[in-house]
Amino acid sequence: ADDDDEGELEEGEAPCAPPPPVSAAKAATAAAPPPSSSTASLTPAAARALVRAALPPVGPAGLTWADFLDQVKASIPPPDASDGAAPLPGVWTRLSPAFYAAFWRLRLYDLAVPEAAYAAERRRLVAALAAKHKALAVTDAARARAAAAWRGAGGWVPGEDPRALEEEARTTRKEAGRLQALLDSLDGEAVAQRAAVAAVRAGLSLEAPSWLTSVPDPAGIVPAFVERCALPRLLNSPEDAAYVASFARALQALRTPRFPTLLYLDRVMKDVMAAVVCATDREAGNLGIFLRDTLGMVEAWRSDAGGGVYVAECEGTPGFSSSLAAPAGGAGSPGAPPGAPPTTPLVHFRKLCH
């Protein structure tokens, strides 16, 4: 984040992603409904507005990260019997405000670089630029012939009017310059996004170890995450659907303590896929994007012939532990340190997939 956008951070806390412009924050704040004791939860749009609008410094002393988390917690009370929602334990016994705020403050741009899309667009621009250069070479050759004919015979070759060829060359050069500018802009954008994603990942790697370690009800983490975060957001838009899948993958890549990726995937198969029967056409399309990305991740692990990818990304991590606890003396993966929780080897993971 820029110096002008930084709030006061507590010691040991990681900086958050750059905030939106102040004008956007004010608009988002106006769009968010006021807190109400009878409101069990906010809509995805309102939750995002609350989280992102609170990021810029407020007041002469600024807004600390701890103050911000207190605002989030106070603005989203746990469900109770008065709102007609199904009786559930308090949400803050299953998720921490820091985890909840991290999920809603980020977007797809912060977590993933669409390398395939950048590469495809770059190939298209390079091909178009090469075609323009080829066309310019043809036009220049025609201009040279026309000029030679004009000097030698006192006229021009039929169909090769020098004035028309000059105009065509000017137009082609202009279009080639436009394509080159687009190519340079695309390369610069890709570099900037890679740097932004790396910065966000570095910040998350500092935050993730403390997200869920103090949650009183670890068995409720996955249901609460699916219920309060994943499902509401993935149905919102195609970008949000891809974001939820990317965020879950980031949780696994960060080796987030107490986040059981296996149980999350099981919940996706049972609950999220069942949501398609009561979804609109647009929501079903968003759900399809989420399942495509999520199941693509699972298939990459399952079909790993040599097992190297699975071992590097999954085996021995908290997400693939066969126990929510980490008892001393547990049997972890081969080579794991003493006291590591038991893990799920690739052969067992393949059985779970079937």
Side-chain angles (χ1 to χ4, degrees):
D2 296 335
D3 291 341
D4 294 340
D5 294 330
E6 290 181 352
E8 297 176 5
L9 298 177
E10 299 292 337
E11 184 177 356
E13 291 174 331
C16 59
V22 174
S23 58
K26 290 181 178 178
T29 305
S36 171
S37 58
S38 61
T39 303
S41 61
L42 298 176
T43 64
R48 254 195 325 275
L50 172 68
V51 171
R52 298 193 74 87
L55 290 177
V58 177
L63 179 71
T64 66
W65 183 244
D67 293 338
F68 168 60
L69 294 181
D70 288 341
Q71 288 186 15
V72 173
K73 186 172 181 178
S75 301
I76 310 174
D80 52 36
S82 63
D83 63 3
L88 291 171
V91 68
W92 302 125
T93 66
R94 301 178 294 160
L95 294 177
S96 70
F99 178 87
Y100 187 93
F103 175 84
W104 286 105
R105 87 171 189 259
L106 297 174
R107 50 186 175 145
L108 185 60
Y109 179 92
D110 299 319
L111 291 184
V113 180
E115 296 290 358
Y118 275 125
E121 183 63 14
R122 195 179 196 286
R123 286 194 299 269
R124 186 189 72 80
L125 289 175
V126 167
L129 186 59
K132 291 299 178 183
H133 286 157
K134 184 176 180 180
L136 185 60
V138 172
T139 302
D140 287 343
R143 289 173 59 206
R145 289 195 303 270
W150 180 269
R151 290 192 299 270
W156 57 78
V157 178
E160 294 186 347
D161 183 352
R163 290 168 296 184
L165 291 172
E166 177 63 31
E167 180 62 26
E168 181 180 347
R170 185 182 300 110
T171 301
T172 303
R173 279 193 295 269
K174 183 177 180 180
E175 182 64 15
R178 186 185 70 84
L179 290 172
Q180 184 63 55
L182 285 175
L183 184 59
D184 294 342
S185 176
L186 181 71
D187 290 342
E189 179 185 316
V191 170
Q193 186 172 3
R194 291 186 190 104
V197 169
V200 171
R201 288 295 184 113
L204 293 180
S205 67
L206 298 177
E207 298 176 21
S210 62
W211 273 343
L212 302 172
T213 51
S214 60
V215 171
D217 181 16
I221 289 174
V222 168
F225 174 67
V226 171
E227 221 173 273
R228 299 296 177 130
C229 300
L231 192 56
R233 187 159 182 179
L234 71 88
L235 294 176
N236 192 50
S237 71
E239 180 183 353
D240 285 323
Y243 166 79
V244 173
S246 183
F247 186 83
R249 181 159 197 155
L251 290 176
Q252 172 59 29
L254 291 169
R255 288 167 159 71
T256 307
R258 278 192 164 185
F259 185 81
T261 305
L262 284 176
L263 294 183
Y264 164 75
L265 294 174
D266 179 67
R267 193 83 177 194
V268 166
M269 297 299 105
K270 292 179 179 177
D271 294 353
V272 177
M273 290 186 71
V276 73
V277 300
C278 57
T280 65
D281 289 346
R282 181 182 62 82
E283 290 173 340
N286 298 338
L287 185 60
I289 293 172
F290 166 75
L291 291 175
R292 177 201 65 193
D293 292 351
T294 299
L295 296 180
M297 173 182 67
V298 172
E299 178 60 18
W301 292 333
R302 188 200 67 83
S303 61
D304 183 20
V309 174
Y310 181 86
V311 170
E313 297 184 4
C314 306
E315 195 167 306
T317 65
F320 280 72
S321 170
S322 57
S323 172
L324 287 176
S333 60
T343 190
T344 304
L346 178 57
V347 61
H348 292 169
F349 177 71
R350 286 172 175 163
K351 291 180 181 179
L352 290 174
C353 291
H354 293 288

